[in-house]
Coordinates of all heavy atoms in Angstrom, one line a residue:
Chain B
E327 N 14.3 -23.5 -43.3 CA 13.6 -22.3 -43.5 C 12.5 -22.4 -44.6 O 11.4 -21.9 -44.4 CB 14.5 -21.2 -43.8 CG 13.9 -19.8 -44.1 CD 14.8 -18.7 -44.1 OE1 16.0 -18.8 -43.6 OE2 14.5 -17.6 -44.7
R328 N 12.8 -23.0 -45.7 CA 11.9 -23.1 -46.8 C 10.7 -24.0 -46.5 O 9.7 -23.9 -47.2 CB 12.6 -23.7 -48.1 CG 13.7 -22.7 -48.7 CD 13.0 -21.6 -49.5 NE 12.6 -22.0 -50.8 CZ 11.3 -22.1 -51.2 NH1 10.3 -21.8 -50.3 NH2 11.0 -22.4 -52.4
E329 N 10.8 -24.7 -45.4 CA 9.6 -25.6 -45.0 C 8.7 -24.9 -44.0 O 7.7 -25.4 -43.7 CB 10.1 -26.9 -44.4 CG 11.0 -27.7 -45.4 CD 11.6 -28.9 -44.6 OE1 11.0 -29.9 -44.4 OE2 12.8 -28.7 -44.2
F330 N 9.1 -23.7 -43.6 CA 8.3 -23.0 -42.6 C 7.3 -22.1 -43.5 O 7.7 -21.5 -44.4 CB 9.1 -22.0 -41.7 CG 9.6 -22.7 -40.5 CD1 10.7 -23.5 -40.5 CD2 8.9 -22.6 -39.3 CE1 11.1 -24.2 -39.4 CE2 9.3 -23.3 -38.2 CZ 10.4 -24.1 -38.2
T331 N 6.0 -22.2 -43.1 CA 5.0 -21.5 -43.9 C 4.2 -20.5 -43.2 O 3.0 -20.2 -43.5 CB 4.0 -22.6 -44.6 OG1 3.5 -23.4 -43.5 CG2 4.7 -23.5 -45.5
N332 N 4.8 -19.9 -42.2 CA 4.1 -18.8 -41.5 C 4.1 -17.5 -42.4 O 5.0 -17.4 -43.3 CB 4.9 -18.5 -40.2 CG 6.3 -18.1 -40.4 OD1 7.1 -19.1 -40.7 ND2 6.7 -16.9 -40.4
V333 N 3.2 -16.7 -42.1 CA 3.1 -15.4 -42.8 C 4.4 -14.6 -42.4 O 4.8 -14.7 -41.2 CB 1.9 -14.6 -42.5 CG1 0.6 -15.2 -43.1 CG2 1.7 -14.4 -41.0
Q334 N 4.8 -13.8 -43.2 CA 6.1 -13.0 -42.9 C 5.8 -12.0 -41.8 O 6.7 -11.7 -41.0 CB 6.5 -12.2 -44.2 CG 7.1 -13.1 -45.2 CD 7.6 -12.4 -46.4 OE1 7.5 -11.1 -46.5 NE2 8.2 -13.1 -47.4
L335 N 4.6 -11.5 -41.6 CA 4.3 -10.6 -40.5 C 4.7 -11.2 -39.2 O 5.3 -10.4 -38.4 CB 2.7 -10.4 -40.5 CG 2.3 -9.4 -39.4 CD1 2.7 -8.0 -39.7 CD2 0.7 -9.5 -39.2
A336 N 4.6 -12.5 -39.0 CA 4.9 -13.1 -37.7 C 6.4 -13.0 -37.4 O 6.8 -13.0 -36.2 CB 4.4 -14.5 -37.7
E337 N 7.2 -13.0 -38.4 CA 8.7 -13.1 -38.2 C 9.4 -11.8 -38.2 O 10.6 -11.7 -37.9 CB 9.3 -14.0 -39.3 CG 9.5 -13.3 -40.6 CD 9.5 -14.2 -41.8 OE1 8.7 -15.2 -41.8 OE2 10.2 -13.9 -42.8
L338 N 8.7 -10.7 -38.5 CA 9.3 -9.4 -38.6 C 10.1 -9.1 -37.3 O 9.6 -9.3 -36.2 CB 8.3 -8.3 -38.9 CG 7.6 -8.5 -40.2 CD1 6.7 -7.3 -40.5 CD2 8.6 -8.6 -41.4
E339 N 11.2 -8.5 -37.4 CA 12.0 -8.1 -36.2 C 11.3 -7.2 -35.3 O 10.5 -6.3 -35.8 CB 13.4 -7.6 -36.7 CG 14.3 -8.6 -37.2 CD 15.6 -8.0 -37.7 OE1 15.6 -7.5 -38.8 OE2 16.6 -8.1 -37.0
N340 N 11.6 -7.3 -34.0 CA 10.9 -6.5 -33.0 C 11.1 -5.0 -33.2 O 10.1 -4.2 -33.0 CB 11.4 -6.8 -31.6 CG 10.8 -8.1 -31.2 OD1 9.8 -8.5 -31.6 ND2 11.6 -8.8 -30.3
G341 N 12.3 -4.5 -33.6 CA 12.5 -3.1 -33.7 C 12.2 -2.4 -32.4 O 12.4 -3.0 -31.4
H342 N 11.7 -1.2 -32.5 CA 11.4 -0.5 -31.3 C 10.0 -0.9 -30.8 O 9.3 -1.6 -31.5 CB 11.5 1.0 -31.4 CG 10.7 1.7 -32.5 ND1 9.3 1.7 -32.5 CD2 11.0 2.3 -33.7 CE1 8.8 2.3 -33.5 NE2 9.9 2.6 -34.3
F343 N 9.6 -0.5 -29.6 CA 8.3 -0.9 -29.0 C 7.1 -0.6 -30.0 O 6.2 -1.4 -30.0 CB 8.1 -0.3 -27.7 CG 7.0 -0.8 -26.9 CD1 7.0 -2.1 -26.4 CD2 5.9 0.0 -26.6 CE1 6.0 -2.6 -25.6 CE2 4.8 -0.5 -25.9 CZ 4.8 -1.8 -25.4
G344 N 7.2 0.5 -30.7 CA 6.1 0.9 -31.6 C 6.0 -0.1 -32.7 O 4.8 -0.5 -33.1
T345 N 7.1 -0.6 -33.2 CA 7.0 -1.6 -34.3 C 6.5 -2.9 -33.7 O 5.6 -3.6 -34.4 CB 8.5 -1.9 -34.8 OG1 9.0 -0.6 -35.2 CG2 8.4 -2.7 -36.1
T346 N 6.9 -3.3 -32.6 CA 6.4 -4.6 -32.0 C 4.9 -4.5 -31.7 O 4.2 -5.4 -32.0 CB 7.1 -4.9 -30.6 OG1 8.5 -5.1 -30.9 CG2 6.5 -6.1 -29.9
I347 N 4.5 -3.4 -31.2 CA 3.0 -3.2 -31.0 C 2.3 -3.2 -32.3 O 1.2 -3.9 -32.4 CB 2.8 -1.9 -30.2 CG1 3.3 -2.1 -28.7 CG2 1.3 -1.5 -30.2 CD1 2.5 -3.2 -27.9
A348 N 2.8 -2.6 -33.3 CA 2.1 -2.6 -34.6 C 2.0 -4.0 -35.1 O 0.9 -4.5 -35.5 CB 2.9 -1.8 -35.6
R349 N 3.1 -4.8 -35.0 CA 3.0 -6.2 -35.5 C 2.1 -7.0 -34.6 O 1.2 -7.7 -35.1 CB 4.4 -6.8 -35.4 CG 4.6 -8.1 -36.0 CD 5.9 -8.8 -35.7 NE 5.9 -9.1 -34.3 CZ 7.0 -9.1 -33.5 NH1 8.2 -8.8 -34.0 NH2 7.0 -9.4 -32.2
L350 N 2.2 -6.9 -33.3 CA 1.4 -7.7 -32.4 C -0.1 -7.4 -32.6 O -0.9 -8.3 -32.6 CB 1.8 -7.3 -30.9 CG 0.9 -7.9 -29.8 CD1 1.0 -9.4 -29.8 CD2 1.2 -7.3 -28.5
W351 N -0.4 -6.1 -32.8 CA -1.8 -5.7 -32.9 C -2.4 -6.2 -34.2 O -3.5 -6.8 -34.2 CB -1.9 -4.2 -32.8 CG -3.2 -3.6 -33.1 CD1 -4.4 -4.0 -32.5 CD2 -3.5 -2.6 -34.1 NE1 -5.4 -3.3 -33.1 CE2 -4.9 -2.5 -34.0 CE3 -2.8 -1.9 -35.0 CZ2 -5.6 -1.5 -34.9 CZ3 -3.4 -0.9 -35.8 CH2 -4.8 -0.8 -35.7
L352 N -1.7 -5.9 -35.3 CA -2.2 -6.4 -36.6 C -2.3 -7.9 -36.7 O -3.3 -8.4 -37.1 CB -1.3 -5.9 -37.8 CG -1.2 -4.3 -37.9 CD1 -0.1 -4.0 -39.0 CD2 -2.5 -3.7 -38.3
Y353 N -1.3 -8.5 -36.2 CA -1.3 -10.0 -36.2 C -2.5 -10.5 -35.3 O -3.2 -11.4 -35.8 CB 0.0 -10.5 -35.6 CG 0.1 -12.0 -35.3 CD1 0.5 -12.9 -36.4 CD2 -0.2 -12.5 -34.1 CE1 0.5 -14.2 -36.1 CE2 -0.1 -13.8 -33.8 CZ 0.2 -14.7 -34.8 OH 0.3 -16.1 -34.6
S354 N -2.6 -10.0 -34.1 CA -3.7 -10.5 -33.2 C -5.1 -10.3 -33.8 O -5.9 -11.1 -33.6 CB -3.5 -9.9 -31.8 OG -2.2 -10.1 -31.3
T355 N -5.3 -9.1 -34.3 CA -6.6 -8.8 -34.9 C -6.9 -9.8 -36.0 O -8.0 -10.4 -36.1 CB -6.6 -7.4 -35.5 OG1 -6.1 -6.5 -34.6 CG2 -8.0 -7.0 -35.9
W356 N -6.0 -10.0 -36.9 CA -6.1 -11.0 -38.0 C -6.4 -12.4 -37.5 O -7.3 -13.1 -37.9 CB -4.9 -10.9 -38.9 CG -4.8 -12.0 -39.8 CD1 -5.6 -12.3 -40.9 CD2 -3.7 -13.0 -39.8 NE1 -5.1 -13.4 -41.6 CE2 -4.0 -13.9 -40.9 CE3 -2.7 -13.3 -39.0 CZ2 -3.2 -15.0 -41.2 CZ3 -1.8 -14.4 -39.2 CH2 -2.1 -15.2 -40.3
Q357 N -5.5 -12.8 -36.5 CA -5.7 -14.1 -35.9 C -7.0 -14.3 -35.3 O -7.6 -15.4 -35.4 CB -4.6 -14.3 -34.9 CG -3.2 -14.6 -35.5 CD -3.1 -16.1 -35.7 OE1 -3.1 -17.0 -34.8 NE2 -2.9 -16.5 -37.0
L358 N -7.5 -13.3 -34.6 CA -8.8 -13.4 -33.9 C -9.9 -13.7 -34.9 O -10.7 -14.6 -34.7 CB -9.1 -12.1 -33.1 CG -10.4 -12.1 -32.4 CD1 -10.6 -13.3 -31.4 CD2 -10.6 -10.8 -31.6
T359 N -9.9 -12.9 -36.0 CA -11.0 -13.2 -37.0 C -10.9 -14.6 -37.6 O -11.9 -15.3 -37.8 CB -10.9 -12.2 -38.2 OG1 -9.6 -12.2 -38.8 CG2 -11.2 -10.8 -37.7
W360 N -9.7 -15.0 -37.8 CA -9.4 -16.3 -38.3 C -9.9 -17.4 -37.4 O -10.6 -18.3 -37.8 CB -7.9 -16.4 -38.6 CG -7.4 -17.7 -39.2 CD1 -6.9 -18.8 -38.5 CD2 -7.2 -18.0 -40.6 NE1 -6.5 -19.7 -39.4 CE2 -6.7 -19.3 -40.7 CE3 -7.5 -17.2 -41.8 CZ2 -6.4 -19.9 -41.9 CZ3 -7.2 -17.8 -43.0 CH2 -6.7 -19.1 -43.0
W361 N -9.5 -17.3 -36.1 CA -9.9 -18.3 -35.1 C -11.3 -18.3 -34.8 O -12.0 -19.3 -34.5 CB -9.0 -18.3 -33.9 CG -7.6 -18.9 -34.2 CD1 -6.5 -18.2 -34.3 CD2 -7.3 -20.2 -34.4 NE1 -5.4 -19.0 -34.6 CE2 -5.9 -20.3 -34.7 CE3 -8.1 -21.4 -34.4 CZ2 -5.3 -21.5 -34.9 CZ3 -7.4 -22.6 -34.6 CH2 -6.0 -22.7 -34.9
E362 N -11.9 -17.1 -34.9 CA -13.4 -17.0 -34.7 C -14.1 -17.9 -35.8 O -15.0 -18.6 -35.5 CB -13.9 -15.6 -34.7 CG -13.7 -14.9 -33.4 CD -14.1 -13.4 -33.4 OE1 -14.3 -12.9 -34.5 OE2 -14.1 -12.8 -32.3
A363 N -13.6 -17.7 -37.0 CA -14.1 -18.5 -38.1 C -13.9 -20.0 -37.8 O -14.8 -20.9 -38.2 CB -13.5 -18.1 -39.4
L364 N -12.8 -20.4 -37.3 CA -12.5 -21.8 -37.1 C -13.2 -22.5 -35.9 O -13.1 -23.7 -35.7 CB -11.0 -22.0 -36.9 CG -10.1 -21.7 -38.2 CD1 -8.6 -22.0 -37.9 CD2 -10.6 -22.5 -39.4
T365 N -13.9 -21.7 -35.1 CA -14.7 -22.3 -34.0 C -15.7 -23.3 -34.6 O -16.1 -24.2 -33.9 CB -15.5 -21.3 -33.2 OG1 -16.2 -20.4 -34.1 CG2 -14.5 -20.4 -32.3
S366 N -16.1 -23.1 -35.9 CA -17.0 -24.1 -36.4 C -16.4 -25.0 -37.4 O -17.0 -25.6 -38.3 CB -18.2 -23.3 -37.1 OG -17.7 -22.3 -38.0
S367 N -15.0 -25.1 -37.3 CA -14.3 -26.0 -38.2 C -14.8 -27.5 -38.0 O -15.1 -27.9 -36.9 CB -12.8 -26.0 -37.9 OG -12.1 -27.0 -38.6
T368 N -14.8 -28.2 -39.1 CA -15.2 -29.6 -39.0 C -14.0 -30.5 -38.5 O -14.1 -31.6 -38.1 CB -15.6 -30.2 -40.4 OG1 -14.6 -29.8 -41.3 CG2 -16.9 -29.7 -40.8
D369 N -12.8 -29.9 -38.4 CA -11.7 -30.5 -37.7 C -11.8 -30.2 -36.3 O -11.7 -29.1 -35.8 CB -10.4 -29.9 -38.3 CG -9.1 -30.5 -37.6 OD1 -9.1 -30.7 -36.4 OD2 -8.1 -30.7 -38.3
E370 N -12.1 -31.3 -35.5 CA -12.5 -31.0 -34.1 C -11.4 -30.4 -33.3 O -11.6 -29.6 -32.4 CB -12.9 -32.4 -33.5 CG -14.4 -32.7 -33.8 CD -14.8 -34.1 -33.3 OE1 -14.2 -34.5 -32.3 OE2 -15.7 -34.6 -33.8

Side-chain angles (χ1 to χ4, degrees):
Chain B
E327 180 170 338
R328 290 284 281 111
E329 299 169 81
F330 274 82
T331 54
N332 56 284
V333 292
Q334 290 183 357
L335 179 70
E337 79 208 32
L338 298 181
E339 285 176 283
N340 284 332
H342 57 65
F343 189 68
T345 309
T346 294
I347 287 298
R349 188 192 67 213
L350 171 67
W351 171 54
L352 297 173
Y353 171 86
S354 304
T355 311
W356 164 69
Q357 282 273 300
L358 178 58
T359 56
W360 183 268
W361 284 106
E362 277 175 350
L364 291 184
T365 51
S366 52
S367 171
T368 50
D369 179 319
E370 281 176 23

